[in-house]
Amino acid sequence: MDFFESQERAKRNTSLLVILFAVGVAATVVSVHLLVSATVFRGQLADPRAFLLSAAGVLAVVGIGTAVKFAQMSHGGRAVAEALGGRLIDPGTGDPSERRVLNVVEEMAIASGLRVPPVYLMDDASINAFAAGNSEKDAVIGVTRGCIELLSRDELQGVMAHEFSHVFHRDMRLNMRLVGWLGGIFAVSIVGRILIQSMRGSRPSRGKNDGRAAVAALGVGLFIVGIVGYFFGRLIQAAVSRQREYLADASAVQYTRNPEGIAGALEKIAGAAGSRLSAPAAAEFSHFLFANGIASLFATHPPLAERIRRIRGARASIAAASATPGLPAAASRPAPTAPPMPTPVAGLAAGSAAASAPGRTAGEPPIHAAAVRASRDSMGTLSPESVARAQALLADASSVLVEAARDPFSARAVVCAALLQDRSAARAVQLAAIRASDPKLAAETERLAARGALRPVDRLPLLELAAASLAALSPAQYAAFRTTLAQLIAADGEVDRLEWTVRVLLRHAVEGRSAAPHPSRRATDDDVSLVASVLAWSGARDAPAACRAWSAAAAGDGRLGARPLAPDRCSLDSLDASLRAIAGSGAALRRRTVDACVACVCADGVTTVEEAELLRAVCASIGAPMPVIAAA
Amino acid sequence: MTTHVQLAEVPAPLVALGVAVLAIALLGIWLMAIYNALVSWRVRVQNGFAQIDVQLRRRHDLVPNLVAAVKGAMAHERETLEGVTKARAAAVSAQAAAAAIPGDAAATATLAAAEAGLQSALSRLMIVMERYPDLKANSSALQLQEELVSTENRIAFARQAYNDAVMTYNTRLAVFPDLLVARLFSFLPAGLFEAEDHARAVPQVDFASAPPPRAG
């Protein structure tokens, strides 16, 4: 199934969820009404005013409970991690088990083009894991101590592949919504409990004793009714999550092509370790977990034995299926003659010309368009080859740089070092710009630039690692860094492709982790055009080349318009805004954007590393992570 | 109709009680929201501290290596070397104590003082190292020195981020109405990680008689 189709399917499941929720609320209203009639109104069941009163009460409590939970969940995946008692694993950690799980997660993130998610550690001896978040931007992964200590690397990879599949398919978003809706239903039992506790200490004062006793009974009753709500809540959780767990297991097998990994992990859970979490919030979030988190009538996960059976059965089908799909033929599109563009002013076009000049690309072999298309087709998946490639990249890239990328202070220097020009005159200007706002950063940048030679193919993985570390900056520090970076980019008078890539990457990686996401406006066709135009210009030496690239994209998408946007209308800020808008829109628009961009990049049949970087960064920022593109 | 008669007999206080119940429910839920927010800010402070912790560990690990590398050339500088080793030991225990009670203001202050002591002992060592030209040729000593400087930068940066988080958290704790929830659930203000820039002697902190952590 296509990447975007599977995301759409997850969205449809949300409708099912809402229906079940409505049923649950209705059942709760009826139960409360019966209770209230029995205790307060002395058995008058059919009275509409009494019914309205109880209905209003229940809806108010449920509504507010739901609103509060949604507000909590809007903080993103870390809200779940914190509720479950997770502690963020520092990227620079020295603990070997922590380091190992971070390596596994980093490799998979880099291999698939997904932003590196923070990993939270839950101090629990059982084996369990989760992926939570409203989108890729605020996704987090959680693991228990038992998971990182008791599992082998293959088994850990299997579990992480399962969690990554939840991220790709946007299951997490559905799960977050579920917590929100269920919060309302559970709230009724909370109200009941409050009532009981407030009545407990009450003295018989003036006022009818009947009234007091009735209210006490009401409290007990509401609490019991709350249990009814809890019943429905758990039922909803179970209904929604079981099927998706099978799917995630299957995806994990597909990604790793190693059923033993995930089967081994499940077997260890079935053994002594178990998967029960001791955190009190485990019940509320049990549908997020890898395996059952609590003992319950309504298991959110299929039985372990059944899961293992299905996974082992997959071994046969893997042997049967062919390894890679055939590469789609790169059709040569005839470029219709387009009227010449007006001479572009300084900015994007000049920047792209400068980028083609020997500023950075030091004779790297170009990438074939077919490889780009293959990557697009395997969007939102992992393969052992891409993970191995990511592993190799991380090992090859000078270890000084990789180590520096894992610490917030030096991660900034890694970003600056990646942007430094080769020519010494330009480099001196850039360093002076950094020094003007932050001398220590300039010194660290020079130190790193001297120590590690940065191959272009290593750049994007390193930048992705650095971007993950930069999320640990405080808001003030991040603002200062953005200013320094802006000055660095402006130092040489033009903005080239790498600088665009860095901007897009940073915005995407860091902003998701801030307190509350900015609401984005609706995306329009203009946004798609803007993004595609940027890609068209980025690969072109001159206006006619850009128009040819644009025509290739327009051939596949009628709504793109006759010509790309003029370069002076493509600014970094407008690109940011468009990307943010597109990221918040539906699968259809995002698919159009991705296809237009890929068409622009592939139009001339040859792609440089920098074009590929920009393409992957743009796709990642709109929630369509593209795997590492195979070099020629 | 019997119904109307019955409803007319519903005592007004009962209706008022119903409204009060609803109000209590709303209040409870609102308090829960504030509680969650405070937990979230506190976690941010703890994460910030963990970051400093990682770099402090790195610094502590580098010190014995540096001492071993220069001991041969600097045989007569026993006092300086011992000073560094003692300062490091004090810092390591302070770090363990602070890790045991994350976010405790007193432990953080003690740790900050111990680290400042280590930092000044190290800078004294670096100054003394300048007097020994053989050491300039010693590549491992140079590399360790460079890594120490790099670690200093990272510690300073992490400290800045941590202090930013602490300021925000402490402000939230002091503001009405969050301050009521804070008092109710014993959210304690966190301590800033202050650096003392002036050189000072290693503080003689006796951990055996350290005051017990505040109940919270």
Side-chain angles (χ1 to χ4, degrees):
Chain A
M1 193 187 299
D2 181 48
F3 173 69
F4 294 104
E5 281 171 21
S6 60
Q7 290 197 343
E8 287 283 85
R9 199 202 38 197
K11 211 170 166 187
R12 279 197 294 273
N13 280 340
T14 315
S15 325
L16 165 70
L17 167 61
V18 173
I19 293 171
L20 288 175
F21 171 75
V23 167
V25 171
T28 311
V29 166
V30 166
S31 318
V32 168
H33 171 65
L34 288 174
L35 243 179
V36 169
S37 310
T39 59
V40 177
F41 293 110
R42 310 286 190 289
Q44 287 301 317
L45 289 174
D47 183 55
R49 282 165 63 177
F51 182 75
L52 275 174
L53 197 64
S54 16
V58 169
L59 288 176
V61 169
V62 169
I64 290 160
T66 302
V68 164
K69 273 293 164 183
F70 266 105
Q72 186 189 7
M73 292 296 109
S74 72
H75 287 174
R78 61 180 177 81
V80 174
E82 287 164 10
L84 286 171
R87 171 182 68 80
L88 182 64
I89 301 183
D90 191 277
T93 185
D95 179 278
S97 343
E98 290 178 10
R99 182 74 259 153
R100 192 175 65 158
V101 71
L102 284 187
N103 286 345
V104 169
V105 170
E106 275 171 8
E107 284 158 16
M108 288 193 174
I110 288 174
S112 60
L114 191 70
R115 190 205 71 151
V116 182
V119 180
Y120 281 79
L121 182 64
M122 295 179 285
D123 211 358
D124 207 298
S126 63
I127 299 176
N128 221 327
F130 67 84
N134 289 311
S135 73
E136 298 82 11
K137 277 204 210 314
D138 55 50
V140 309
I141 303 263
V143 285
T144 56
R145 183 157 286 287
C147 186
I148 66 176
E149 285 177 356
L150 297 173
L151 296 182
S152 71
R153 200 180 207 272
D154 277 354
E155 290 160 354
L156 198 53
Q157 268 191 317
V159 174
M160 289 298 110
H162 174 111
E163 298 308 331
F164 266 71
S165 100
H166 282 317
V167 177
F168 294 141
H169 297 128
R170 292 205 162 176
D171 289 340
M172 313 178 299
R173 191 190 218 136
L174 179 63
N175 287 341
M176 302 288 271
R177 299 271 183 275
L178 192 49
V179 172
W181 293 116
L182 291 182
I185 294 184
F186 291 159
V188 174
S189 64
I190 295 176
V191 172
R193 198 167 23 197
I194 293 176
L195 266 182
I196 296 172
Q197 280 173 351
S198 66
M199 286 295 126
R200 204 177 284 158
S202 71
R203 311 171 303 281
S205 59
R206 50 188 190 288
K208 303 202 172 163
N209 284 338
D210 289 341
R212 290 240 155 218
V215 171
L218 182 65
V220 172
L222 273 180
F223 183 67
I224 294 173
V225 164
I227 308 264
V228 169
Y230 185 75
F231 168 91
F232 274 98
R234 301 285 296 147
L235 197 62
I236 295 174
Q237 267 183 331
V240 168
S241 89
R242 278 174 79 132
Q243 205 52 38
R244 286 181 301 113
E245 291 303 314
Y246 279 132
L247 219 60
D249 282 344
S251 301
V253 171
Q254 182 201 343
Y255 298 161
T256 58
R257 264 179 247 141
N258 177 13
E260 281 314 310
I262 190 169
L266 287 169
E267 279 171 347
K268 283 188 177 166
I269 292 176
S275 57
R276 293 250 188 102
L277 284 190
S278 49
E284 207 184 336
F285 296 103
S286 63
H287 51 284
F288 275 99
L289 301 168
F290 173 68
N292 279 320
I294 58 171
S296 158
L297 227 52
F298 302 107
T300 41
H301 294 74
L304 287 172
E306 182 60 24
R307 285 173 80 178
I308 296 174
R309 197 185 65 81
R310 290 199 188 192
I311 288 167
R312 291 251 159 80
R315 205 189 332 194
S317 48
I318 281 179
S322 53
T324 42
L327 295 179
S332 56
R333 298 178 204 278
T337 47
M341 292 286 292
T343 323
V345 293
L348 188 48
S352 56
S356 331
R360 285 193 237 285
T361 33
E364 283 286 320
I367 300 169
H368 292 313
V372 176
R373 285 192 207 282
S375 179
R376 185 267 175 258
D377 289 334
S378 52
M379 182 171 289
T381 64
L382 283 169
S383 67
E385 295 87 27
S386 60
V387 173
R389 229 174 276 135
Q391 244 179 344
L393 281 175
L394 285 179
D396 275 355
S398 165
S399 60
V400 170
L401 289 169
V402 170
E403 194 261 333
R406 294 200 174 117
D407 166 78
F409 173 77
S410 40
R412 300 176 307 154
V414 167
V415 175
C416 294
L419 289 176
L420 288 183
Q421 299 272 9
D422 288 336
R423 296 165 309 186
S424 53
R427 183 179 275 218
V429 171
Q430 287 179 311
L431 282 171
I434 306 176
R435 204 169 293 126
S437 58
D438 193 337
K440 284 202 172 156
L441 180 58
E444 180 77 4
T445 307
E446 274 179 294
R447 185 184 83 98
L448 287 178
R451 275 291 202 85
L454 191 49
R455 296 181 309 166
V457 73
D458 295 334
R459 261 197 312 248
L460 196 57
L462 264 179
L463 287 173
E464 286 171 339
L465 279 184
S469 304
L470 289 177
L473 264 53
S474 71
Q477 288 177 325
Y478 181 61
F481 179 56
R482 270 199 12 222
T483 315
T484 308
L485 204 61
Q487 285 165 356
L488 168 60
I489 291 177
D492 55 1
E494 56 212 2
V495 185
D496 66 20
R497 280 174 304 202
L498 185 57
E499 288 164 349
W500 283 84
T501 305
V502 165
R503 267 289 294 255
V504 169
L505 203 57
L506 283 190
R507 276 290 165 92
H508 169 60
V510 179
E511 292 192 351
R513 305 203 201 180
S514 62
H518 302 290
S520 57
R521 57 174 172 77
R522 275 194 97 75
T524 61
D525 286 343
D526 289 339
D527 291 313
V528 181
S529 298
L530 180 78
V531 176
S533 304
V534 169
L535 265 303
W537 285 107
S538 79
R541 281 179 187 272
D542 49 28
C547 282
R548 279 197 296 276
W550 181 262
S551 314
D557 185 342
R559 284 188 279 179
L560 273 180
R563 56 181 71 170
L565 259 54
D568 49 355
R569 285 188 52 199
C570 304
S571 69
L572 285 169
D573 288 331
S574 57
L575 179 66
D576 277 340
S578 294
L579 286 176
R580 195 177 296 148
I582 296 174
S585 67
L589 197 82
R590 290 184 292 127
R591 179 198 268 127
R592 273 183 59 208
T593 313
V594 168
D595 287 338
C597 292
V598 169
C600 284
V601 164
C602 293
D604 55 359
V606 144
T607 310
T608 60
V609 173
E610 280 155 356
E611 275 184 273
E613 281 172 343
L614 182 56
L615 175 64
R616 288 186 65 214
V618 162
C619 288
S621 70
I622 58 174
M626 266 181 77
V628 173
I629 300 175
Chain B
M1 286 287 294
T2 341
T3 326
H4 290 296
V5 171
Q6 281 223 283
L7 273 179
E9 284 172 4
V10 170
L14 197 58
V15 172
L17 202 66
V19 171
V21 158
L22 197 62
I24 292 171
L26 296 186
L27 187 71
I29 290 169
W30 181 58
L31 288 180
M32 205 165 63
I34 296 182
Y35 177 80
N36 284 336
L38 287 179
V39 165
S40 194
W41 284 107
R42 184 170 60 187
V43 164
R44 221 171 288 224
V45 165
Q46 286 166 346
N47 287 344
F49 187 82
Q51 243 196 331
I52 304 180
D53 209 56
V54 167
Q55 300 305 330
L56 290 180
R57 243 173 258 277
R58 197 160 165 249
R59 181 204 249 169
H60 297 167
D61 289 342
L62 285 170
V63 169
N65 297 340
L66 181 64
V67 168
V70 303
K71 213 168 20 184
M74 291 172 55
H76 299 299
E77 305 288 351
R78 236 174 28 123
E79 217 178 270
T80 317
L81 290 176
E82 266 176 23
V84 166
T85 311
K86 264 207 293 201
R88 177 193 176 265
V92 167
S93 356
Q95 187 185 28
I101 332 155
D104 179 58
T108 310
T110 312
L111 176 59
E115 290 296 335
L118 177 55
Q119 197 174 352
S120 53
L122 277 172
S123 52
R124 271 201 297 275
L125 176 62
M126 305 281 191
I127 293 172
V128 169
M129 274 170 71
E130 293 295 309
R131 291 195 235 131
Y132 290 80
D134 326 343
L135 282 176
K136 295 213 209 288
N138 185 339
S139 64
S140 61
L142 280 180
Q143 196 183 341
L144 285 167
Q145 210 175 350
E146 192 193 301
E147 282 185 42
L148 269 171
V149 169
S150 167
T151 313
E152 293 304 328
N153 287 335
R154 293 184 184 188
I155 293 173
F157 198 71
R159 198 178 60 219
Q160 197 183 27
Y162 169 76
N163 286 340
D164 284 347
V166 167
M167 300 272 272
T168 314
Y169 171 66
N170 289 352
T171 313
R172 286 292 299 251
L173 286 186
V175 169
F176 187 85
D178 298 12
L179 111 96
L180 297 174
V181 179
R183 292 255 178 85
L184 190 61
F185 292 101
S186 313
F187 279 87
L188 298 170
L192 291 169
F193 201 100
E194 312 253 57
E196 281 118 24
D197 287 330
H198 55 273
R200 43 183 280 171
V202 175
Q204 296 302 317
V205 186
D206 186 3
F207 288 94
S209 59
R214 269 188 293 175

